[in-house]
Amino acid sequence: MAPIVSLILANLPAIVKSGQTVVEFVRRERTAMTQSGEWTDADERAFADLLVAAGRSPAWQQDK
Amino acid sequence: MKFLARLLARFVALCAVVTFTGCASLEPSADAVAVRAEQTVATAFNVFDAFLNLEHANRDLVKAKAPQVHTFAEWLREPVPENGAMVPRGLSLIQSANRVRLAYKSNRTPDNHASLQAALSALARAANETQTQLTALQTLTR
């Protein structure tokens, strides 16, 4: 079974419950699915930087 | 009847999405387990980040109209210990799975594979719940 199909099936309860997330869910997943090889060192660094930036973002901080 | 029509519409949408969505074929040198793990941590981050940013942008509305969504967002933001520092729980979940992923990439043993599957399952559960909350939030802010 294609990965995207098994991914959708695994998430089907949440997708059906929400009613509008099938396309959004797949659109988000599709970006990741177009990956054809393992991350390079640069990809690893970019992801690590993304996590550091998120940790500093106000959106990730609890209410004062 | 209305329910059946909506169900049918969703099924058709699902079929269309599945039919027209392809997956990139892996390079011969790529390890499918490693690639899938990278996709999982990246997708989990995207879902957490999208949810927290949307909730943050509408914080007053969410607190007033959907306090349970705000409570979940605060749970994701709650600082927890991670490698000697305090970081938001959402990031801790990702960093924790990421460490296991990197351990697998450097030493692809059956034990590390099993640990990776467990870590990714836990992360996927949190991402699925966040996706549900994100959907509720999108409905509220639409």
Side-chain angles (χ1 to χ4, degrees), chain A residues 11 21 29 35 44 59 63, chain B residues 38 43 59 77 101 128 135:
Chain A
N11 288 281
T21 58
E29 283 292 324
Q35 182 183 343
E44 295 283 5
D63 285 350
Chain B
E38 289 161 1
T43 301
R59 201 172 277 207
R77 293 175 176 127
R101 178 183 68 79
N128 285 342
T135 300

Side-chain angles (χ1 to χ4, degrees), chain A residues 11-48:
Chain A
N11 288 281
L12 203 52
I15 293 171
V16 170
K17 193 175 160 191
S18 64
Q20 57 86 47
T21 58
V22 176
V23 173
E24 283 185 20
F25 176 82
V26 172
R27 190 176 295 143
R28 188 177 290 121
E29 283 292 324
R30 192 172 49 189
T31 305
M33 288 289 177
T34 54
Q35 182 183 343
S36 60
E38 292 180 34
W39 283 351
T40 62
D41 288 347
D43 293 329
E44 295 283 5
R45 278 195 301 275
F47 187 65

